[in-house]
Amino acid sequence: MNEEQFEQSKKYYDENYDILVRYPFLHKTKIQIPENLSREQRLCRFCGKTSPETSFRNKAHAVPEFLGNRTIILLNECDECNRSFASWYEDHLGKWSLFARSMTQTLSKKGRPTYKNESGTFSARSNGQGLELRIDDKELQQRLATAEAPFSFGLPMKVESQPFIKFNAAKAILKAACSVCPDSELKDIQPVIEMLMKRAQMTLSCFPVLSRFTPGPIDDSVSEIVILKRKTDLPIPTYWCIIQYRNHRLQTFLPFVRSDQSWMKKEENVSLKLIHYPSRFGPNWEYGLETGKYEDWSCIESETISYQASIQLNQFVKMPPADSSDSST
Ligand SMILES: [Zn+2]
């Protein structure tokens, strides 16, 4: 995002939206939604059931833990809905994002994630101190032997996701948005909840998801979820959800919400203005410009996607000789 794009984006969102919710993924105390609710008072905001008809034993993370959320807990989500959302939607977003999360070492429930490609020629994992890449490619090894820093290369092998469904991955973002919305918005976003609960069939010819990548050393402290709410009467979506997880950012709007239905019916051809939310790293980020794209996540077929990554090595360090105790006998 260059300076001009940043200013335009900032102006657009400042003029048209208020920040309804902004929760960090890491915080010294847990953020409970709603605050201080006893187990007996809990009412699942998705299925509408209370105890003992349903149970509230498990901790329901409002945003998936694999995106780095350790903090934001939804008290009004029952165990059954929690399990369903994990398999229906979050599993798909997890598969879509695994490569990116491994490359940026996003904190998850089980520590730092590991990605391996199918042929076993590439892996990205934590070695306890940082990211460790294993790249099995003779030609690249030869180039590296004589290379000087800084040295850039693209991954020479096929690096793909596991099969997943994009529309289900998109619904995982919508589920997170519905989880962090305050009670005051639940009536308005009820159609989204109906869709997530499979009580209403909603199809979209296009479901835009905006994604951004910011280069450089970025840690978990920047990770957060933001919900914006429209404050003008313009025919634009009422709610946007932005999820920043380390270097990556996802953004989408909440479709079908009640307060959008009047203008959506009036507009003959609804065309949405898709503007990336201004980067929290500002327009002059020292590690380089953000890159981003718009994608249509309305596809309901299972697919695998190929990843491309450009890696820059800024320093070569001589490693001590490998332990030779095995070969000394
Ligand atoms: Zn429920």
Side-chain angles (χ1 to χ4, degrees):
M1 199 172 259
N2 64 32
E3 198 141 5
E4 195 188 332
Q5 290 165 329
F6 180 86
E7 290 306 329
Q8 276 175 1
S9 156
K10 195 171 174 318
K11 186 167 181 280
Y12 176 78
Y13 285 105
D14 282 351
E15 281 176 3
N16 294 302
Y17 289 90
D18 282 325
I19 293 176
L20 180 69
V21 164
R22 172 168 239 153
Y23 291 141
F25 288 180
L26 287 181
H27 194 258
K28 50 187 184 302
T29 50
K30 293 259 185 278
I31 298 166
Q32 297 189 331
I33 308 165
E35 279 178 356
N36 305 321
L37 199 68
S38 75
R39 214 169 276 255
E40 296 70 45
Q41 291 173 304
R42 295 194 192 180
L43 162 74
C44 179
R45 64 170 59 181
F46 298 101
C47 67
K49 292 179 188 168
T50 53
S51 182
E53 206 186 344
T54 188
S55 61
F56 294 88
R57 285 185 204 97
N58 301 329
K59 210 177 260 180
H61 285 80
V63 181
E65 279 183 285
F66 60 75
L67 295 178
N69 170 34
R70 293 299 188 86
T71 300
I72 318 159
I73 306 295
L74 176 59
L75 298 180
N76 282 344
E77 179 178 336
C78 76
D79 298 336
E80 199 183 325
C81 289
N82 187 245
R83 270 193 300 274
S84 300
F85 294 143
S87 67
W88 292 344
Y89 311 130
E90 289 162 0
D91 181 51
H92 295 264
L93 185 65
K95 285 173 176 158
W96 173 81
S97 60
L98 178 61
F99 175 74
R101 289 185 288 113
S102 304
M103 293 296 279
T104 56
Q105 291 293 287
T106 304
L107 192 63
S108 74
K109 189 180 184 176
K110 298 172 195 147
R112 308 282 172 190
T114 295
Y115 171 88
K116 285 184 213 165
N117 70 346
E118 210 177 314
S119 61
T121 53
F122 173 83
S123 71
R125 57 159 56 86
S126 165
N127 63 6
Q129 291 166 330
L131 174 66
E132 181 177 290
L133 298 179
R134 286 190 179 266
I135 302 172
D136 185 1
D137 183 78
K138 282 220 161 70
E139 200 190 313
L140 180 62
Q141 279 164 8
Q142 282 168 0
R143 282 171 62 206
L144 274 168
T146 54
E148 280 180 29
F151 176 73
S152 296
F153 62 95
L155 289 180
M157 62 278 295
K158 205 172 180 184
V159 176
E160 281 186 330
S161 70
Q162 288 178 45
F164 74 103
I165 294 171
K166 267 200 184 131
F167 194 41
N168 288 350
K171 287 181 192 168
I173 307 174
L174 298 179
K175 190 268 161 186
C178 291
S179 297
V180 297
C181 270
D183 283 354
S184 56
E185 313 303 310
L186 290 182
K187 208 172 159 197
D188 199 11
I189 64 170
Q190 193 59 33
V192 188
I193 291 176
E194 295 297 306
M195 176 184 68
L196 293 174
M197 291 304 292
K198 303 186 177 181
R199 290 190 293 244
Q201 272 285 342
M202 310 255 192
T203 47
L204 284 158
S205 55
C206 176
F207 190 71
V209 173
L210 290 70
S211 61
R212 303 290 284 180
F213 172 78
T214 310
I218 292 172
D219 66 17
D220 300 293
S221 65
V222 303
S223 299
E224 63 178 4
I225 184 165
V226 176
I227 305 289
L228 304 176
K229 186 175 181 187
R230 173 165 52 87
K231 61 180 171 187
T232 59
D233 290 330
L234 289 179
I236 53 176
T238 304
Y239 304 96
W240 282 98
C241 171
I242 297 119
I243 296 178
Q244 177 83 41
Y245 54 109
R246 284 207 159 201
N247 303 65
H248 293 270
R249 188 161 77 247
L250 283 171
Q251 177 183 347
T252 195
F253 69 97
L254 271 65
F256 318 117
V257 299
R258 290 194 169 132
S259 50
D260 285 340
Q261 284 171 7
S262 57
W263 68 260
M264 281 208 159
K265 272 180 202 148
K266 263 186 244 154
E267 298 278 309
E268 287 219 334
N269 289 310
V270 175
S271 67
L272 286 174
K273 220 174 180 183
L274 299 176
I275 299 173
H276 288 279
Y277 190 60
S279 165
R280 61 171 293 149
F281 305 102
N284 300 309
W285 180 239
E286 61 176 301
Y287 297 97
L289 283 182
E290 273 193 359
T291 50
K293 56 186 173 185
Y294 309 93
E295 277 189 317
D296 177 9
W297 281 24
S298 63
C299 182
I300 53 169
E301 306 288 330
S302 180
E303 60 185 302
T304 55
I305 51 171
S306 297
Y307 300 111
Q308 279 161 0
S310 165
I311 295 160
Q312 180 167 313
L313 303 174
N314 291 324
Q315 200 185 358
F316 287 99
V317 182
K318 261 211 160 114
M319 299 292 280
D323 186 354
S324 57
S325 56
D326 285 347
S327 56
S328 60
T329 48

